[in-house]
Amino acid sequence: MNNITLLADVGNTTVKLGFANKSKIFHSISLPTKSLYTVDSLGLLLLQILQHLKIEKIHGVALCSVVPELGKTFYRASEKYLGLSPKVFPEDFSIPLENHYQNPQEVGADRLMGAYAARMLFPEVKALICIDYGTATTFDCVEENNYLGGLICPGLFSAHNALANGTAKLPHISLRFDKDIPLIGKNTITSMNHGFVFGFVAMTDGLCEQLEKQLPKPLTIIATGGYAEELAKLSKKINHIQQDLILEGLRLASYSLLA
């Protein structure tokens, strides 16, 4: 397979890697975000992944990072072990969205890239709400080719970990569910599981309902992130799941530079 691009989305919880050609992403891998990665450990890990996937050569690397130090480590690891200097968003390439944030530089690169990917994947609709269930839960609004802004809320796992670590008796839970309505919990596990899962579903649907009133129709709502598929089963608002949304945006935005 020719002209393979390595896409890297460096987030606060995971580092998502995608391997793509001009048409599609054909492999994606999630790694934990670690402060202890060194240039050598990360570079050797990249080589191991390439060997495992039987990929002999990478043609280019595109990087989107919201963790500055780890982003720099990834950049140097790519140079040293892959012989390639990554193209970094937004420093090295732009996207055709007009940023309407009051201070445009405050918007995370991942939020902009996700919004761009959503717009490219669903060009027929007038407006989009892009939900990312990551370290934080973000709601980003797009109208035509304008990034309007959005909301930043607690993340599901971040909130769960804060509650479990900040209380003496509350346990860590699985965040699994087998009902389509919240039960009145008769034990702590059920109370927490249903409180978290259905609480985030209620937050999702309630906020989307309010944001929809401020956006034109037709409108579609896209979700991404680690727990998006599970929450979408319960949500009345989510229309589409796109797990590799930011990687897809990187592929679309950078491929002309790397081809």
Side-chain angles (χ1 to χ4, degrees), residues 35-49 70 72-82:
S35 60
L36 298 178
Y37 280 128
T38 65
V39 170
D40 293 323
S41 67
L42 190 52
L44 290 170
L45 181 56
L46 290 175
L47 292 180
Q48 288 177 342
I49 291 170
L70 184 53
K72 292 175 185 176
T73 300
F74 187 95
Y75 190 100
R76 292 195 293 267
S78 177
E79 286 189 317
K80 182 174 180 179
Y81 285 89
L82 302 180

Side-chain angles (χ1 to χ4, degrees), residues 61-222:
V61 181
L63 172 64
C64 177
S65 174
V66 295
V67 188
E69 287 306 313
L70 184 53
K72 292 175 185 176
T73 300
F74 187 95
Y75 190 100
R76 292 195 293 267
S78 177
E79 286 189 317
K80 182 174 180 179
Y81 285 89
L82 302 180
L84 295 166
S85 297
K87 298 295 183 183
V88 182
F89 176 74
E91 291 86 345
D92 296 327
F93 57 96
S94 60
I95 55 175
L97 285 185
E98 186 172 335
N99 187 345
H100 287 261
Y101 228 55
Q102 188 173 35
N103 294 309
Q105 68 277 6
E106 289 182 1
V107 185
D110 55 344
R111 295 177 66 190
L112 284 174
M113 188 56 70
Y116 163 71
R119 168 44 72 207
M120 296 299 289
L121 291 170
F122 299 93
E124 71 282 0
V125 298
K126 197 168 184 69
L128 298 139
I129 300 173
C130 180
I131 309 169
D132 190 343
Y133 297 102
T135 307
T137 302
T138 55
F139 296 74
D140 291 299
C141 299
V142 178
E143 180 180 344
E144 300 289 0
N145 289 325
N146 299 296
Y147 173 81
L148 303 181
L151 303 171
I152 302 174
C153 307
L156 183 63
F157 292 102
S158 302
H160 164 242
N161 289 336
L163 183 61
N165 293 332
T167 53
K169 291 187 176 182
L170 292 181
H172 286 272
I173 54 174
S174 65
L175 298 175
R176 293 178 180 174
F177 61 92
D178 56 4
K179 303 292 182 183
D180 57 4
I181 59 170
L183 299 179
I184 298 173
K186 302 297 185 183
N187 57 68
T188 301
I189 295 294
T190 301
S191 298
M192 289 182 68
N193 258 333
H194 284 242
F196 269 89
V197 171
F198 289 96
F200 270 79
V201 170
M203 178 184 77
T204 295
D205 288 356
L207 290 177
C208 284
E209 183 175 342
Q210 296 303 313
L211 292 172
E212 282 179 314
K213 296 176 182 178
Q214 304 172 61
L215 295 167
K217 304 294 188 296
L219 176 146
T220 196
I221 299 172
I222 304 154

